[in-house]
Amino acid sequence: MRMGKRRWLPVGLLCLALSPAGCSNKETRWETLVADGETAFQAGRYAEAEKLCLAALKEAEDFGEQDPRLATSLNNLAVLYDAQGNYAQAEPFYQRAISIYEKALGPEHPDVAAAINNLAELYRARGQHAQAEPLYQRELAILEKALGPEHPQVATSLNNLAGLYRDQRKYAQAEPLLRRSLAIREKALGPVHPDVANSLHNLARLYVDQGKYTEAEPLYQRALIVLTRAVGPEHPDVATMLENYARMLRVLNRHDEAEKMEARAQAIRAKHAQENPQK
């Protein structure tokens, strides 16, 4: 089960919602800086992304202390620092972003939930489980109320909370959350979707942690089928799943099967490295 993903908050329709008559030049510049910052961040160009994020933050400060655009700028800068392991720098930006969002948008807005999730992920990464758990729970409650109990974002929130419990070996608490997440994703996204494969994979790994290999194996098998159909047989996530499945097979002394999976995963990674040498 991989760590949950921190959410970079895009501009979306925020400018239009705040200024129905259209965006000013300053607002347009802020939007451009946010978008360019995200592009640089996703490409791993962190120094460039930081300059853009700081410039966006400077622009947003002119909108006012309680403007959601300021919160978005703070959140995104925090995501950038968080991704680099600079947790001490990221934490106060997340906290300030949450406070502004709450006042500007109300305490039950999805953007509040997104920023709360980001702070929870930071605490989880630092092993501060007691601080992370109530944040995950609050995020889940907001999303269930704002989006409905069967929304895909609710499934993601359930998955993240389950991951926290798995970190602490609270398997009995994690399992029903993962099963609910899987059911939501299957219903909302269809049976052949990467997120469905992710839920199957996470549930399989939870069973492996407990030595329940008989329960884990059919989940691994189904997860591989779903993921391969959804993203193709040579995607890096397929390699990761093959490697995890192979580890279980090694424990079961099924070394020939494990070796074939490891060789396939290695071939995928080698091809990906050749095609993307900058990564």
Side-chain angles (χ1 to χ4, degrees):
M1 185 184 305
R2 65 192 179 207
M3 280 284 189
K5 187 176 181 180
R6 280 68 159 175
R7 283 191 59 195
W8 183 286
L9 292 172
V11 173
L13 298 177
L14 184 59
C15 180
L16 181 60
L18 293 171
S19 304
C23 294
S24 68
N25 289 337
K26 177 172 282 293
E27 289 166 325
T28 300
R29 174 171 166 74
W30 175 79
E31 283 188 314
T32 300
L33 289 166
V34 171
D36 290 349
E38 181 177 16
T39 298
F41 171 71
Q42 296 296 344
R45 302 193 304 269
Y46 293 145
E48 178 186 347
E50 183 177 14
K51 291 180 182 178
L52 291 163
C53 285
L54 288 169
L57 177 60
K58 184 176 181 180
E59 293 286 337
E61 285 172 343
D62 291 339
F63 298 138
E65 284 294 318
Q66 301 304 325
D67 192 286
R69 289 165 291 192
L70 178 57
T72 295
S73 298
L74 290 162
N75 174 84
N76 294 348
L77 186 58
V79 169
L80 174 64
Y81 290 142
D82 193 351
Q84 299 173 84
N86 297 329
Y87 303 132
Q89 286 180 280
E91 183 179 3
F93 287 118
Y94 280 142
Q95 291 170 334
R96 188 179 168 201
I98 292 168
S99 177
I100 294 171
Y101 275 136
E102 287 174 330
K103 293 174 182 176
L105 304 176
E108 296 178 342
H109 192 279
D111 283 355
V112 174
I116 288 172
N117 171 76
N118 289 346
L119 183 57
E121 289 292 331
L122 181 149
Y123 287 141
R124 180 184 172 193
R126 290 202 304 203
Q128 295 176 264
H129 300 138
Q131 289 91 335
E133 183 174 359
L135 293 174
Y136 280 129
Q137 291 171 336
R138 184 181 168 204
E139 179 213 9
L140 177 59
I142 292 171
L143 292 177
E144 287 177 321
K145 185 170 183 179
L147 304 177
E150 296 186 346
H151 192 279
Q153 285 189 33
V154 171
T156 299
S157 182
L158 289 163
N159 188 71
N160 292 345
L161 181 56
L164 180 72
Y165 289 142
R166 179 178 174 244
D167 290 347
Q168 301 172 81
R169 300 183 180 181
K170 295 180 178 179
Y171 304 127
Q173 290 173 262
E175 182 176 352
L177 300 179
L178 288 177
R179 288 198 169 278
R180 184 182 164 203
S181 176
L182 173 60
I184 292 171
R185 284 173 167 174
E186 287 177 321
K187 183 176 180 180
L189 305 174
V192 183
H193 190 280
D195 287 350
V196 171
N198 175 253
S199 285
L200 290 164
H201 187 200
N202 289 344
L203 191 56
R205 295 188 68 191
L206 186 76
Y207 286 138
V208 168
D209 286 349
Q210 300 171 79
K212 296 180 178 180
Y213 305 120
T214 301
E215 290 91 335
E217 184 156 20
L219 294 169
Y220 269 132
Q221 291 170 341
R222 186 180 164 207
L224 273 170
I225 291 170
V226 172
L227 188 62
T228 300
R229 289 178 179 173
V231 301
E234 296 180 340
H235 193 280
D237 286 350
V238 173
T240 299
M241 198 173 291
L242 286 164
E243 289 161 352
N244 288 336
Y245 192 177
R247 287 191 193 99
M248 186 190 79
L249 294 176
R250 292 283 186 191
V251 172
L252 297 172
N253 294 316
R254 292 162 58 183
H255 299 296
D256 289 344
E257 294 172 77
E259 187 173 342
K260 291 177 182 178
M261 290 190 179
E262 290 162 351
R264 183 180 161 197
Q266 186 177 8
I268 293 170
R269 295 204 183 282
K271 183 174 182 180
H272 185 70
Q274 185 177 12
E275 293 175 349
N276 302 275
Q278 73 277 13
K279 295 182 180 180

